[in-house]
Amino acid sequence: RYLVALASESLTPAQRAQIEAAGAELLGYIPDRGYALRVSPQREDDLRTLPFIAWLGGLPHHLKTHPDLSAIAGQHNPGSTKLRVILRPDEPEARVNEILAGLRLTAAPSGKDGAWRVEATVPAGRLAQILSRLAGLPEVEAIEPARPFRLSNQDGVWVHQSFVGPA
């Protein structure tokens, strides 16, 4: 299970060790004094007893969705939107693919520790519903707009700026 722990202060190395001894794996930092954790449900109470943990709970679903996608979903007829779903490491993409069934999608392993990225083009009128369903999945880490790569030729700029060329 994925949870967020809000600490009363930045964690010291000793406090990090206590969290791990309580059965949680520290996955990352969430500003301000928040820590993403993976923990079995049976060990949650062990974490709650730690005096420096001010709050422990699931990541609010709206924080998984990029603000640009939320704004597009609020428009009346936004047109098709290409999005990228980022899964936590070692989590299967099957439930994400099920939600996106019938859409043009691409799923590929990407990132550290077997994380997956799933891209799909969502038609007008379905974006809000799909974002809500995806954000509700615990294995989904984030949902963001899928932007195309833009290649640039920095070497050509450097040669021009160095005034290297025919005399």
Side-chain angles (χ1 to χ4, degrees):
R1 178 162 185 213
Y2 296 99
L3 298 174
V4 173
L6 296 180
S8 53
E9 58 191 39
S10 294
L11 294 180
T12 65
Q15 290 169 329
R16 288 174 181 264
Q18 284 182 283
I19 287 175
E20 291 174 358
E25 177 186 357
L26 276 164
L27 300 174
Y29 179 74
I30 302 170
D32 186 32
R33 296 183 320 271
Y35 298 87
L37 307 172
R38 181 178 4 218
V39 61
S40 70
Q42 297 84 1
R43 301 296 304 267
E44 279 184 47
D45 288 338
D46 297 337
L47 285 171
R48 292 183 194 284
T49 62
L50 297 175
F52 52 87
I53 300 294
W55 181 84
L56 183 69
L59 181 66
H61 296 171
H62 69 279
L63 293 179
K64 293 181 180 184
T65 305
H66 193 280
D68 289 351
L69 287 175
S70 298
I72 292 168
Q75 297 173 0
H76 289 289
N77 193 8
S80 294
T81 303
K82 191 166 184 181
L83 58 83
R84 178 179 299 119
V85 181
I86 302 165
L87 292 146
R88 295 190 181 276
D90 295 324
E91 292 289 345
E93 80 285 1
R95 293 198 308 172
V96 169
N97 290 345
E98 183 180 308
I99 290 171
L100 299 173
L103 303 177
R104 195 179 88 215
L105 63 96
T106 305
S110 173
K112 181 180 160 189
D113 298 328
W116 279 79
R117 307 291 187 261
V118 180
E119 291 189 7
T121 302
V122 180
R126 293 188 55 200
L127 184 60
Q129 175 194 14
I130 285 176
L131 289 176
S132 177
R133 291 183 65 200
L134 289 171
L137 295 177
E139 63 266 32
V140 170
E141 185 172 307
I143 309 163
E144 63 186 18
R147 295 186 171 93
F149 287 104
R150 293 176 55 193
L151 302 176
S152 59
N153 184 353
Q154 292 298 337
D155 292 336
V157 172
W158 179 83
V159 170
H160 174 72
Q161 290 176 345
S162 65
F163 302 107
V164 174

